[in-house]
Amino acid sequence: MSALDILNANKDLIVEATQARITERLPRYALLNPAELRVQVEAMIESSLLFLEDDDADRLLDQFRVTSTRRVQQGLSISDFLQALFCVIPAVRKVIAAENGGNLHGVEGYTELETRIFDLFTTAAGMFAEVTNQQLRSKNQELNRLSQQQARYEAQLEAENVAVNEALIQANEFNQRVIESLTSGLMVVAAHDGIVNLYTTRMEEILGIPAERVLGKSVEDFSEVVNLDVAALVQRVRSEGRIGLTKLKLNRGDGQTISVFARAQRMYDAAGNPEGTVVVLDDITERELLVESFSRYVSRELVQQVLARSHKLDLGGELQTCSILFADIRGFTTIAESLNPHELHGLLNDYFRVVVEALTHHGGFIDKFIGDNVMAIFSRGSPEHAARSAVDAAAAIVRGLEALNVDREDRGQIPVHAGVGINTGEVMLGNIGNLDRMDFTAIGDAVNVAARLQALAGHGEVLIGSATVELLGEAGDLEKRDEQQVRGRSRPVRFFQLKR
């Protein structure tokens, strides 16, 4: 019986012996799935025996290629693969020796068979090397492709980084230009150490302190230069979150006193953590001078309204319930005839000082002066509040003129007495005139009645229309007067007199 016949008759023994030797001697093969390993060993031996029998190398080469590819994929080296192949030789020898009484060389064709098996192993090793090289070439190609892709990506990323950096630079420059163009002064104080890290040019101009004396320094140093306690502002912001618009007077670094609006609030980073405190100052010195100057010619309320407008002044108005007050000097024509212009000027100034102080103290809006006549509008709060304010102002005028007359009589001057008329009703409150010259006033029947009551009032009398009286509630200080017909009205006017 030839050696090849013995092997064909004992294929299973060879497979078992080979697998056992492989898993015993090669740790990396022991990690493979046993069932999968048996199938591959069995297929390898089957293909090898067929080749040894009929020299058909195609099936054997295919099997070598499949097995080599699998082992390469599993991460085994050519050394591992060759050692596994050489585990077949001991198994073959063991089976043949067992069939021939322990004698190998007496078996027909054994020497030739072993030589051919070694040739097969050489072919298998070459196949493994070829598969490994193919895989290496494929991996090298993939690595080259990935390297090229990485290079393109890095180049693209670099270009994007350059573009982003340029955009950031431009954005920072733009933001800086925006900040520097603001009419408000801006200062940022760091949250962790109280150091000033932003101080705009406009803030320099407002406070009169150059940036080099502020930037990078603690806010504690501020109070030594101006009476602006930034440290206290920052502390308030930390506890309250923000400080609304607050009017302050400051002493600039050059000693000049200015008026400012101040506000401050917390600034947070992207993670929502406190990053600092933003302090904003607006110089309103010129505005305050403007209000102060024009308030001497028209009421302060009107000046504030004009300055606060968000659109061009027009001739519009709105319906509103107001109390109207007129006050006029009794016998002014006779008085004017007896005084020279200088004395008359002094009398009017004394009179208007008392009247204006009384009106403004009680919230009256001084609409106009007409010679010695004053018209005031009371529109703040509810109609009831406006009515009470008008009556209180009238009482203050009477008391003020009584005190003034004591002083004037002591100086040998003519006393001043006024008559006051008050009425309440719905009026059109707004601008009249034309777009080039307009006047803010109230128009309506309630105004006309107030003017007529003022004309009826005697020395030191305050006459109050019934519409006003209805809003006063408790009217114990009023005395009812008889109805009277007044010029311009078809029905008599009901009114009351304020008791002295």
Side-chain angles (χ1 to χ4, degrees):
M1 193 173 184
S2 68
L4 185 57
D5 292 336
I6 294 172
L7 294 180
N8 282 322
N10 295 277
K11 286 188 288 186
D12 290 342
L13 290 175
I14 298 171
V15 170
E16 290 175 2
T18 301
Q19 182 175 359
R21 191 175 183 88
I22 288 173
T23 55
E24 178 185 346
R25 294 176 176 268
L26 301 174
R28 299 193 67 180
Y29 271 85
L31 299 175
L32 303 180
N33 183 283
E36 178 188 354
L37 179 61
R38 179 178 177 83
V39 170
Q40 292 173 348
V41 170
E42 190 173 16
M44 179 71 74
I45 290 176
E46 179 71 27
S47 299
S48 298
L49 291 175
L50 288 174
F51 170 75
L52 292 173
E53 186 173 351
D54 57 16
D55 284 335
D56 184 4
D58 292 339
R59 180 175 177 180
L60 181 61
L61 292 175
D62 289 341
Q63 187 60 47
F64 283 166
R65 185 174 290 105
V66 170
T67 304
S68 298
T69 301
R70 182 61 177 159
R71 295 294 174 262
V72 170
Q73 291 173 346
Q74 291 171 336
L76 288 120
S77 67
I78 190 169
S79 173
D80 296 326
F81 183 68
L82 287 175
Q83 289 183 66
L85 288 177
F86 278 104
C87 286
V88 175
I89 299 297
V92 168
R93 289 175 178 173
K94 181 178 179 181
V95 169
I96 292 176
E99 290 292 326
N100 197 38
N103 183 12
L104 288 173
H105 298 289
V107 178
E108 178 187 350
Y110 171 75
T111 302
E112 181 184 1
L113 177 65
E114 191 168 282
T115 300
R116 294 187 68 187
I117 289 174
F118 276 109
D119 291 340
L120 287 177
F121 291 170
T122 302
T123 301
M127 184 66 68
F128 188 94
E130 180 183 343
V131 171
T132 302
N133 288 334
Q134 287 177 350
Q135 189 179 60
L136 287 174
R137 285 195 297 271
S138 176
K139 287 184 177 180
N140 284 334
Q141 290 174 354
E142 179 65 14
L143 285 174
N144 288 335
R145 185 186 68 80
L146 291 175
S147 296
Q148 293 173 359
Q149 185 179 17
Q150 180 70 17
R152 289 194 299 272
Y153 173 75
E154 289 177 352
Q156 180 182 357
L157 188 61
E158 179 64 24
E160 290 176 355
N161 285 337
V162 171
V164 169
N165 287 334
E166 290 178 353
L168 285 174
I169 292 173
Q170 292 175 0
N172 287 334
E173 292 176 348
F174 175 78
N175 290 338
Q176 188 64 32
R177 290 195 299 273
V178 170
I179 290 173
E180 290 299 334
S181 66
L182 294 175
T183 56
S184 301
L186 197 65
M187 176 195 314
V188 176
V189 181
H192 63 284
D193 56 10
I195 298 299
V196 179
N197 51 34
L198 178 65
Y199 185 82
T200 63
T201 302
R202 181 56 181 154
M203 189 65 94
E204 288 185 275
E205 295 171 352
I206 292 174
L207 296 180
I209 307 172
E212 55 266 22
R213 294 182 60 185
V214 178
L215 280 174
K217 296 182 174 59
S218 171
V219 291
E220 300 289 348
D221 300 335
F222 253 94
S223 57
E224 299 178 5
V225 184
V226 295
N227 61 329
L228 175 62
D229 195 344
V230 179
L233 284 177
V234 171
Q235 190 59 41
R236 277 187 60 192
V237 170
R238 286 176 179 172
S239 60
E240 301 174 16
R242 65 186 298 274
I243 297 175
L245 202 63
T246 304
K247 185 177 176 182
L248 300 173
K249 281 194 175 295
L250 301 180
N251 297 322
R252 282 168 41 100
D254 57 8
Q256 178 185 351
T257 300
I258 60 172
S259 297
V260 299
F261 278 145
R263 58 189 184 277
Q265 65 183 49
R266 299 218 83 174
M267 181 175 67
Y268 298 89
D269 61 19
N273 299 314
E275 188 174 13
T277 300
V278 180
V279 179
V280 181
L281 296 185
D282 290 290
D283 188 354
I284 58 170
T285 305
E286 292 183 2
R287 180 180 183 278
E288 289 296 295
L289 289 173
L290 184 64
V291 172
E292 182 68 24
S293 298
F294 278 93
S295 294
R296 299 178 184 274
Y297 298 94
V298 296
S299 72
R300 177 176 287 268
E301 291 84 353
L302 182 57
V303 176
Q304 297 283 11
Q305 179 183 343
V306 171
L307 291 177
R309 73 189 189 280
S310 59
H311 54 81
K312 185 178 179 180
L313 285 174
D314 55 32
L315 298 176
E318 62 177 7
L319 289 173
Q320 188 171 343
T321 298
C322 301
S323 291
I324 310 300
L325 181 151
F326 281 91
D328 184 83
I329 297 177
R330 304 294 84 172
F332 180 71
T333 303
T334 303
I335 293 174
E337 185 179 7
S338 64
L339 299 177
N340 62 49
H342 179 75
E343 293 171 328
L344 184 61
H345 182 264
L347 180 144
L348 285 174
N349 283 340
D350 286 344
Y351 164 71
F352 282 130
R353 175 178 55 78
V354 171
V355 172
V356 170
E357 286 180 359
L359 292 173
T360 55
H361 178 73
H362 290 90
F365 171 83
I366 299 174
D367 182 82
K368 59 177 63 69
F369 296 104
I370 309 169
D372 60 314
N373 196 331
V374 179
M375 173 182 171
I377 302 170
F378 292 82
S379 59
R380 293 181 182 176
S382 66
E384 291 81 4
H385 179 270
R388 173 49 62 188
S389 297
V391 173
D392 290 345
I397 290 173
V398 173
R399 291 194 302 271
L401 291 179
E402 288 175 350
L404 172 66
N405 287 334
V406 171
D407 181 60
R408 288 183 62 83
E409 290 174 355
D410 288 344
R411 289 182 286 162
Q413 296 174 328
I414 298 176
V416 181
H417 301 283
V420 180
I422 300 172
N423 193 42
T424 302
E426 189 175 61
V427 300
M428 178 64 74
L429 197 62
N431 296 316
I432 62 170
N434 63 30
L435 294 178
D436 295 323
R437 178 69 173 88
M438 60 184 67
D439 188 19
F440 184 85
T441 191
I443 300 174
D445 183 60
V447 179
N448 297 332
V449 171
R452 299 295 180 262
L453 291 175
Q454 175 272 129
L456 290 174
H459 286 51
E461 289 185 346
V462 177
L463 302 184
I464 306 169
S466 59
T468 306
V469 173
E470 291 174 2
L471 295 170
L472 294 178
E474 194 67 34
D477 55 348
L478 299 179
E479 178 183 343
K480 187 175 181 180
R481 296 277 295 268
D482 295 334
E483 293 184 353
Q484 288 197 33
Q485 190 73 38
V486 298
R487 182 168 54 88
R489 287 182 61 84
S490 59
R491 291 179 297 178
V493 175
R494 294 173 53 244
F495 62 95
F496 295 73
Q497 178 179 343
L498 183 66
K499 294 180 181 179
R500 298 190 183 183

